[in-house]
Amino acid sequence: MTPAELRAFCLGFNAAVEEFPFTPETSVFKVLGKVFALSALDAEPLKVNLKCEPELAVRLREEHEAIVPGWHMNKRHWNTVTVGTLPDALVRELVEDSYDLVVAGLPRAERLRLDRP
């Protein structure tokens, strides 16, 4: 997955936006003001921080060297994923899971507006 593909995939979700609150190099992808992915898209290797259910986060870290506790994030709930070393389908699944977790924490009215009850 290329940086452009990662950006396009993140922005493909309902109400997803890209912001740069930290540095011009760090893309922060949000849904209704809540972060679901962070990445320095020009970094080599390409990495992305993604939210994850705590039990699944631990299991993914055990199964994949390319998945480690979230850098500069709550390590219980966030993973840092090295994109190029994992299958694209797995990366897409992890991004979507992150988005879904964040949406699940939104008020019901906002979830319904996003068509994700």
Side-chain angles (χ1 to χ4, degrees):
M1 179 176 284
T2 68
E5 291 169 336
L6 178 61
R7 172 183 277 134
F9 189 71
C10 288
L11 291 174
F13 295 105
N14 290 343
V17 297
E18 180 181 21
E19 297 179 355
F20 300 89
F22 306 118
T23 68
E25 297 83 27
T26 305
S27 294
V28 178
F29 298 96
K30 296 181 177 183
V31 55
L32 300 180
K34 303 291 183 182
V35 176
F36 71 92
L38 295 94
S39 181
L41 294 172
D42 59 351
E44 294 268 340
L46 178 60
K47 296 181 180 185
V48 61
N49 280 2
L50 300 169
K51 192 162 189 162
C52 192
E53 293 177 2
E55 298 79 26
L56 178 58
V58 171
R59 192 170 76 239
L60 287 167
R61 293 171 197 163
E62 291 170 352
E63 294 173 0
H64 304 279
E65 281 185 32
I67 301 176
V68 297
W71 188 70
H72 280 296
M73 305 298 281
N74 180 327
K75 308 228 182 307
R76 185 165 189 262
H77 297 276
W78 289 84
N79 281 335
T80 297
V81 177
T82 303
V83 175
T85 60
L86 295 171
D88 288 356
L90 176 58
V91 174
R92 283 191 292 273
E93 181 182 327
L94 295 173
V95 172
E96 185 171 4
D97 286 352
S98 181
Y99 176 86
D100 288 343
L101 275 173
V102 171
V103 168
L106 295 172
R108 185 173 188 273
E110 291 181 349
R111 288 194 316 268
L112 292 174
R113 226 179 47 195
L114 293 171
D115 196 28
R116 291 197 178 244

